[in-house]
Amino acid sequence: MEDKLLNESYEQSFTKHIIGAGRWTLLLSVPLCFLPAIYLWIRYGALPPLGSILTGWFLIASIYGSWYIVEPISYFPILGLSGTYMSFLSGNIANMRVPCAAVAQEVLKVEPGSKKAELVATIGIAGSIITNLIVVTLAAVAGNELFKYFPPIVVKALDFVLPAIFGALFVMFSIKYPKYGVFAIGIGMFLLGVVKVLPTWAIIPICIFTTIGYAVTSFKRKNKADQSREV
Amino acid sequence: MNQEILRVANEIGVWLAAAPVVILTAIQAIIYTRLARKTAKELNIPDEKCDRAFKTGLLTAIGPVIAIFIVMVGMMSVIGGPISWLRLSIIGSAPTELTAAKTGADALGVSFGGPDYDLNALATGWWTMAVNGAGWLVFAGLFTHKLEGIRNKVGGGDVKWLAVLSSAAMLGVFGYLNSGDIKKGGGGLIAVIAGAISMVVVIKLTEKLPKIKEYALGIAMLVGMLAAVIFG
């Protein structure tokens, strides 16, 4: 009963507002993204022929078109509702939003998938967006100046930021679920090393949803075994 | 590269035209933080915990964002500062944006950043980046709430089941990302292994020193990078 009340108040005070704000921010950003291109048009009359814009659109959609749909669906089980709205506005999902959400949940020891976890992830992702905006603004204003202070060895080391983070996060979750971890790396290696022909936009959802499938089946089997033992 | 083009791409008007998107991203982060904090209060989560979550997000993002900084400096020299500022504040990673900008030049039949790369070519690139980003924004804007409905229907609100679901999804995506680096070998492979091993050590350490938990990923990242530079 209490749970039901809690669910309803959560629904009223959080979920509804998240959907409302998420929708208008994402959809409003679309026209705003065209402002610089429109500026070139108005100020300099630099409007590419419609044919070129459509060709560009066709070319780019043939590369990324599947991603538009596959990514939000694939990352949803990780990011949740508010995390998805935030991550698909601010981008850098696998390399920044997901790690920040995961580490924030780990630091505060909340059960992944719970309401508390969603709140913690939301705040953690917001923190990462602020860092992102500060550094990107700094780069835009003074990037060339600051770049001089980066020794070549540091620039080289920065190539390895992502593999190091991905390895570390994989272990963080594998410690809790070693069996699923082995399965996940197995399926990834199989698709990349043996099958080889699949496009990336297909490999990511296959990796995510087969691992989910495997985890859920073995979770249910274990639950059943536990129940029959109790009886 | 035509310097005149770059002068136009960096002029004040373009900064002003790029700013609304960056500001909108900040506004969304602020709205969501306030909503989450308010709801946290209702769920009896103390403010300090919310502060800690925010701080963790701020800190954990530093490593990845410095990597973006480096790529962005290169990007600015081809398409200009303000448009790079806009594009890297929102969906679409640096390689995606550069591909889109290059595709725009291709569509016009000129070489990207070459001597024939004129104002029209720059504009085509900017249009292409905007329509490409719109793909994600429109889909996520229109359908994210439907995904929530599906998750609730399938999971039936079972917390344990949801925990398994989100952890498995996390492992699935990192299993894939690591497989790519493992297969390529070299420094990337060393970074994966060193990052993984140091994470195990750091997790053991945080059992005794819970205060360093926020830095766990940062430490593992630095060890992984260092190992890759030394042994790669």
Side-chain angles (χ1 to χ4, degrees), chain B:
Chain B
M1 184 75 197
N2 190 337
Q3 283 308 312
E4 181 60 16
I5 297 305
L6 218 49
R7 192 195 58 74
V8 171
N10 284 318
E11 71 180 22
I12 184 80
V14 184
W15 284 99
L16 293 176
V21 174
V22 181
I23 295 167
L24 182 69
T25 311
I27 289 175
Q28 192 212 44
I30 294 165
I31 294 176
Y32 275 28
T33 309
R34 291 178 59 176
L35 272 172
R37 279 179 167 273
K38 207 182 104 210
T39 314
K41 212 163 256 167
E42 286 166 24
L43 294 186
N44 294 322
I45 303 173
D47 273 349
E48 302 84 70
K49 288 206 167 174
C50 295
D51 293 342
R52 204 165 173 207
F54 192 76
K55 188 180 149 203
T56 305
L58 277 180
L59 289 172
T60 307
I62 292 175
V65 87
I66 291 179
I68 294 172
F69 178 99
I70 300 293
V71 186
M72 184 171 161
V73 172
M75 193 166 153
M76 282 159 55
S77 65
V78 194
I79 57 167
I83 194 79
S84 306
W85 179 52
L86 182 163
R87 296 310 323 175
L88 294 184
S89 297
I90 60 157
I91 183 84
S93 61
T96 309
E97 301 301 347
L98 282 171
T99 309
K102 191 182 166 303
T103 303
D106 289 347
L108 213 55
V110 303
S111 62
F112 185 52
D116 53 350
Y117 191 69
D118 60 4
L119 206 54
N120 259 333
L122 186 77
T124 317
W126 291 10
W127 282 93
T128 312
M129 288 191 282
V131 288
N132 188 39
W136 283 279
L137 292 165
V138 169
F139 183 84
L142 292 179
F143 298 112
T144 301
H145 68 292
K146 294 251 194 271
L147 298 174
E148 173 78 351
I150 295 171
R151 184 172 67 160
N152 286 341
K153 214 175 267 172
V154 178
D158 179 352
V159 173
K160 268 198 185 141
W161 189 90
L162 285 172
V164 169
L165 177 83
S166 49
S167 305
M170 199 84 87
L171 280 166
V173 73
F174 289 118
Y176 157 73
L177 292 167
N178 283 316
S179 298
D181 291 315
I182 292 170
K183 207 187 122 204
K184 260 185 264 159
L189 172 64
I190 294 168
V192 168
I193 295 170
I197 295 172
S198 51
M199 193 64 170
V200 177
V201 177
V202 175
I203 288 176
K204 285 273 166 234
L205 277 177
T206 55
E207 284 167 11
K208 291 201 183 81
L209 297 161
K211 278 218 169 115
I212 65 162
K213 261 191 152 177
E214 283 97 318
Y215 308 98
L217 188 65
I219 297 168
M221 178 192 82
L222 286 176
V223 174
M225 288 161 69
L226 199 68
V229 170
I230 296 172
F231 304 109

Side-chain angles (χ1 to χ4, degrees), chain A residues 6 10 13-14 17-19 21-26 29-30 32-37 39-40 44 46-48 52-53 56 59-60 64 67-69 71-72 75-78 81-82 84-86 88-92 95-96 98 100 102-104 106-109 111-113 116 119 123-124 126-128 131-133 135-137 139-140 143-144 146-147 150 153 157-158 160-161 163-175 177 180-181 184-185 188-189 192 200 203-204 207 211-212 215-216 219, chain B residues 8 11 13-15 17 20-22 24-26 28-29 31-33 35-36 39-40 42-43 45 49-50 52-54 56-58 60-61 64-66 68-70 72-73 76 83 85-86 88-91 96 99-100 103 107-108 119-120 123-124 126-128 130-132 134-142 144-145 147-148 151 160-183 187-188 191-192 195-196 199-200 203 213-214 217 220-221 224-225 228-229:
Chain A
L6 188 73
Y10 186 85
S13 72
F14 191 67
H17 295 291
I18 287 289
I19 294 173
R23 209 185 258 162
W24 75 256
T25 45
L26 265 70
S29 71
V30 174
L32 294 183
C33 281
F34 287 95
L35 287 179
Y39 173 84
L40 287 186
Y44 295 98
L47 181 68
S52 301
I53 296 178
L59 288 174
I60 202 70
Y64 293 107
W67 289 102
Y68 307 157
I69 298 160
E71 279 195 317
Y75 283 111
F76 188 83
I78 302 175
L81 185 73
S82 52
T84 300
Y85 281 122
M86 296 174 103
F88 282 89
L89 179 62
S90 59
N92 291 300
N95 59 337
M96 203 186 301
V98 173
C100 288
V103 176
E106 179 73 16
V107 167
L108 290 161
K109 284 204 174 111
E111 183 93 348
K116 284 187 181 173
L119 296 177
I123 299 173
S128 78
T131 304
N132 190 162
L133 292 179
V135 174
V136 167
T137 304
N144 288 312
L146 292 168
F147 190 75
F150 280 72
I153 185 93
L158 285 169
F160 303 112
V161 166
I165 287 182
F166 294 155
L169 282 173
F170 180 75
V171 159
M172 199 171 93
F173 284 91
S174 293
I175 289 176
Y177 301 99
Y180 310 161
I185 200 88
M189 290 306 293
L192 286 179
T200 318
I203 297 179
I204 292 183
C207 286
T211 310
I212 289 179
V216 168
F219 171 73
Chain B
V8 171
E11 71 180 22
V14 184
W15 284 99
V21 174
V22 181
L24 182 69
T25 311
Q28 192 212 44
I31 294 176
Y32 275 28
T33 309
L35 272 172
T39 314
E42 286 166 24
L43 294 186
I45 303 173
K49 288 206 167 174
C50 295
R52 204 165 173 207
F54 192 76
T56 305
L58 277 180
T60 307
V65 87
I66 291 179
I68 294 172
F69 178 99
I70 300 293
M72 184 171 161
V73 172
M76 282 159 55
I83 194 79
W85 179 52
L86 182 163
L88 294 184
S89 297
I90 60 157
I91 183 84
T96 309
T99 309
T103 303
L108 213 55
L119 206 54
N120 259 333
T124 317
W126 291 10
W127 282 93
T128 312
V131 288
N132 188 39
W136 283 279
L137 292 165
V138 169
F139 183 84
L142 292 179
T144 301
H145 68 292
L147 298 174
E148 173 78 351
R151 184 172 67 160
K160 268 198 185 141
W161 189 90
L162 285 172
V164 169
L165 177 83
S166 49
S167 305
M170 199 84 87
L171 280 166
V173 73
F174 289 118
Y176 157 73
L177 292 167
N178 283 316
S179 298
D181 291 315
I182 292 170
K183 207 187 122 204
V192 168
M199 193 64 170
V200 177
I203 288 176
K213 261 191 152 177
E214 283 97 318
L217 188 65
M221 178 192 82
M225 288 161 69
V229 170

